[in-house]
Amino acid sequence: MPLTADMRRSIDQIRDYLFGGGYPDPVSNAEQLSFLFFFFLLETIDDENRKRAEVLQEPFRSIFDGEWTLRSAETSAREGSRMATVLRTASRTIPRSRFRWTLWAREMGGQALVDFVGDQVFPFFAEIGAAGAHDFMRGARLGIQDPTVLTQVVRLVDGLGLADADSDTKGDLFEHVLRQIKQAGELGQFRTPRHIIRRIVEMVDPTIGETIYDPAAGTAGFLVAAYNHIRLAHSSPGQIVEVDVDGKSQRRGLGDLLAPEDLDVLRNRTFYGNDVDPKMVRLATMNLRLRGLDNVRILQRNVLTSVLDDASKEELGLPTEGYDIVLANPPFSGRVDKERIVDSVRVGNTSSTELLFLKYLQDSLRDGGRAAVVVPEGVLFGSSSAHLELRRQLVENNQVDAVLSLPGGVFQPYSGVKTSVLFFRKGGTTREVLYLHVDEDGYQFDANHDTPNEDDDLPRLAAAYAQREASLSRWEARESDADWHEKWWFADAAALRDNSYNLTASRYRPLGSSEAEHEDFLELLDDVIARELELVKVMETLRDMVREYRA
């Protein structure tokens, strides 16, 4: 069952109820909805597990069997107390079956619902979460205290039809919730547009058996896209469907050709991630769980200020030799206290998160591993010693395969910053870099960048990348004085060295006579803005150095 217009409208209604009821923070609202989805789905999952056990004639104990001791029992269950009135009992225990969604969510309302959910439902499911692969509910609390708003939201969630939806539909529904998050995090992290994520994953082309890692996972967009990509590659024609996602047609596969052992690897030993923000960890966990990836653990961790030794990695079930693939959109504009930065990610004296993350990503790959990372344009041309050294390491100690140059505005409504995507492999040395220049990405460059149109350079550029050797042969066979009209071109390592390892696409773009006279005005503006932002960072660094000197 695909995501329907009625489902989208219901989510929009929930958003409107929350906003109108005095809950304007979209991140917190998405987190609260993830909790409610979790409460709803666990009953469905428990029932499915019971039916499976009956078929297989295996023993089964429901999470809703037995008794539950009321939290704050001395006051909650005292005769005449509010909780005793809500539960219509003075006992200090109640049957665990009372925590089935179909009982409390459909029977209670108003202040009684607020009290029961806040005082009992959250602790009940927190106990279950603590026993799972990841403590999804750790520190969770009810944030919707208005009785009318909570009642309406619970009723709308109940009416979404989640019990009848497949995992893809549940995931798409949650993605619609996540689209409401239109703000940047404190470290400068932005939600990556899903059509950009899907194209990046298609270009990297992960396969079954490879480990895939996102060290700044956010809401797990890259991991979900990689999961869908692998399933599509292992689906028979009859099990591939076309679905509408964000106004564009997208192919989805059920993965019916995956052998049971491959499916086990895909679900349990393929995807890994971290995020520094506990809310993002919860949202990522729910996004993965809704798609059947219950055992993917997203760690709450700042990789720039903490190190895991091999023993810790083994205990957490992480690969000790590095990852096959790293996909990431790390924070753009944040800074970390220099005293907290671990030695392994230091690059000179910089505290800029985008540079430190790029160093960390290189070290996270196993030999021959592949990476695709979104970076602000300043990383590609910045003149500080840290910028120069990092780019030197990339070019001389790795194989930089391509730079996908994205237009300014792709990250609206979060930021208009100009960005590119670096594609590289660990080890070896760079011979030539394929530059892929995007003018149009299939969506209008307006305030929200979410209105689809027909202008899209990404498919042709992805094809040029997939046929890289043929593209290189065509490039080398061109007439040196002839105009080049493709939106892709190459630069060899010698040219990179001669230009201080500058990796920007515009530096090496072949211009015909007419193009040289009339360089695209929007490109000029993007370049000026990127350089101004980089200058601001340099001045901030200088200011910090002066403060340290005076201290």
Side-chain angles (χ1 to χ4, degrees):
M1 180 183 71
L3 183 64
T4 65
D6 286 341
M7 286 180 169
R8 290 191 181 95
R9 279 193 292 269
S10 293
I11 291 296
D12 293 340
Q13 276 186 279
I14 293 172
R15 176 200 62 198
D16 293 342
Y17 267 115
L18 289 168
F19 189 84
Y23 302 94
D25 179 11
V27 177
S28 295
N29 292 344
E31 182 187 41
Q32 292 294 303
L33 279 179
S34 73
F35 295 144
L36 294 178
F37 287 174
F38 183 62
F39 303 157
F40 180 99
L41 291 171
L42 272 195
E43 179 175 351
T44 302
I45 293 170
D46 189 76
D47 288 342
E48 290 173 352
N49 290 339
R50 176 182 54 79
K51 293 175 182 177
R52 184 180 299 110
E54 290 176 353
V55 171
L56 299 176
Q57 296 183 338
E58 294 177 344
F60 174 74
R61 179 176 175 81
S62 169
I63 60 174
F64 301 108
D65 287 346
E67 295 289 311
W68 167 259
T69 301
L70 295 170
R71 293 300 179 259
S72 302
E74 294 78 12
T75 57
S76 294
R78 187 175 61 243
E79 187 172 0
S81 72
R82 189 164 64 186
M83 187 56 62
T85 302
V86 168
L87 298 174
R88 296 190 293 275
T89 179
S91 172
R92 294 190 177 189
T93 63
I94 60 172
R96 292 171 68 92
S97 60
R98 292 291 298 271
F99 292 96
R100 287 183 175 275
W101 174 277
T102 49
L103 293 181
W104 62 265
R106 296 174 183 176
E107 290 183 356
M108 290 184 177
Q111 189 60 49
L113 181 65
V114 172
D115 291 342
F116 185 64
V117 173
D119 295 341
Q120 307 302 329
V121 174
F122 268 74
F124 176 85
F125 286 102
E127 180 182 279
I128 294 172
H134 37 66
D135 194 353
F136 171 70
M137 294 288 297
R138 183 177 62 179
R141 55 181 290 273
L142 177 64
I144 308 171
Q145 296 292 326
D146 184 282
T148 301
V149 174
L150 182 61
T151 301
Q152 293 287 3
V153 168
V154 168
R155 298 292 186 269
L156 286 168
V157 170
D158 190 52
L160 286 173
L162 291 176
D164 300 322
D166 58 31
S167 60
D168 286 327
T169 301
K170 292 172 185 173
D172 290 342
L173 183 69
F174 197 58
E175 281 288 347
H176 190 67
V177 173
L178 298 177
R179 286 188 65 193
Q180 312 306 320
I181 301 175
K182 297 182 178 180
Q183 63 193 53
E186 292 182 1
L187 293 179
Q189 61 267 46
F190 309 124
R191 182 173 180 268
T192 315
R194 272 16 187 188
H195 67 288
I196 298 295
I197 284 180
R198 289 192 294 271
R199 191 64 65 180
I200 291 172
V201 169
E202 174 193 328
M203 293 168 69
V204 175
D205 190 25
T207 61
I208 193 72
E210 292 186 310
T211 52
I212 304 169
Y213 176 48
D214 186 347
T219 58
F222 273 113
L223 301 182
V224 167
Y227 175 62
N228 288 336
H229 178 86
I230 293 172
R231 287 198 306 158
L232 178 62
H234 294 82
S235 296
S236 57
Q239 297 301 321
I240 296 176
V241 297
E242 296 275 347
V243 297
D244 179 85
V245 179
D246 299 335
K248 297 281 187 177
S249 180
Q250 180 186 340
R251 297 170 73 230
R252 291 268 182 84
L254 294 181
D256 57 300
L257 299 181
L258 287 166
E261 57 271 21
D262 289 337
L263 192 58
D264 178 68
V265 168
L266 183 62
R267 288 177 173 170
N268 300 307
R269 295 186 297 281
T270 297
F271 303 108
Y272 306 86
N274 310 309
D275 203 278
V276 68
D277 187 338
K279 289 184 179 180
M280 289 298 111
V281 171
R282 289 186 181 124
L283 296 178
T285 300
M286 178 51 62
N287 200 10
L288 294 163
R289 187 163 199 143
L290 287 170
R291 301 169 193 276
L293 299 173
D294 296 356
N295 294 322
V296 177
R297 175 179 286 179
I298 305 297
L299 300 176
Q300 183 185 339
R301 176 177 171 236
N302 187 339
V303 298
L304 305 182
T305 60
S306 63
V307 176
L308 294 176
D309 58 23
D310 285 351
S312 298
K313 290 178 181 178
E314 289 181 0
E315 183 179 351
L316 292 168
L318 308 178
T320 57
E321 69 281 2
Y323 297 92
D324 296 299
I325 294 174
V326 174
L327 304 167
N329 174 19
F332 282 3
S333 57
R335 290 185 179 276
V336 182
D337 292 338
K338 289 184 179 180
E339 296 76 12
R340 299 178 60 217
I341 300 172
V342 296
D343 291 340
S344 59
V345 303
R346 288 186 183 276
V347 185
N349 292 320
T350 187
S351 60
S352 297
T353 55
E354 64 266 31
L355 297 181
L356 300 173
F357 258 102
L358 194 51
K359 175 63 167 65
Y360 172 79
L361 294 181
Q362 294 180 60
D363 296 340
S364 297
L365 287 169
R366 65 188 309 169
D367 289 342
R370 314 190 298 287
V373 53
V374 181
V375 296
E377 203 72 0
V379 169
L380 305 184
F381 67 78
S383 58
S384 74
S385 59
H387 283 87
L388 294 171
E389 174 58 19
L390 192 60
R391 293 200 301 270
R392 187 197 68 79
Q393 291 178 15
L394 271 172
V395 172
E396 303 295 356
N397 302 333
N398 301 276
Q399 299 171 70
V400 181
D401 291 322
V403 175
L404 178 68
S405 178
L406 300 173
V410 164
F411 279 89
Q412 292 286 20
Y414 314 98
S415 169
V417 65
K418 170 80 172 71
T419 58
S420 290
V421 185
L422 278 171
F423 295 84
F424 65 91
R425 287 171 287 161
K426 184 172 182 176
T429 188
T430 302
R431 295 179 57 190
E432 60 274 317
V433 176
L434 170 59
Y435 283 97
L436 306 160
H437 179 79
V438 181
D439 287 314
E440 302 289 343
D441 71 340
Y443 291 84
Q444 292 182 21
F445 289 102
D446 52 20
N448 289 318
H449 191 54
D450 59 0
T451 303
N453 61 28
E454 297 302 317
D455 301 322
D456 192 353
D457 297 324
L458 290 168
R460 289 188 65 183
L461 294 176
Y465 178 81
Q467 301 163 9
R468 191 177 186 278
E469 293 304 317
S471 299
L472 178 59
S473 297
R474 183 181 167 196
W475 168 257
E476 292 176 336
R478 79 194 189 286
E479 294 290 337
S480 58
D481 57 348
D483 287 354
W484 182 261
H485 299 294
E486 297 290 351
K487 292 187 177 183
W488 56 265
W489 54 90
F490 284 86
D492 60 28
L496 302 180
R497 295 186 187 102
D498 289 344
N499 286 276
S500 301
Y501 298 102
N502 188 309
L503 289 171
T504 55
S506 58
R507 175 60 64 94
Y508 308 101
R509 184 171 191 170
L511 296 178
S513 56
S514 61
E515 292 171 306
E517 294 175 4
H518 304 286
E519 189 171 350
D520 185 81
F521 183 60
L522 285 176
E523 287 185 40
L524 287 172
L525 285 178
D526 283 342
D527 187 60
V528 169
I529 291 171
R531 292 180 186 277
E532 287 293 328
L533 290 172
E534 191 59 34
L535 178 60
V536 169
K537 292 181 180 179
V538 171
M539 298 303 291
E540 288 176 344
T541 300
L542 180 60
R543 180 193 60 196
D544 294 342
M545 292 173 64
V546 172
R547 283 177 175 170
E548 288 180 10
Y549 176 77
R550 290 180 175 179

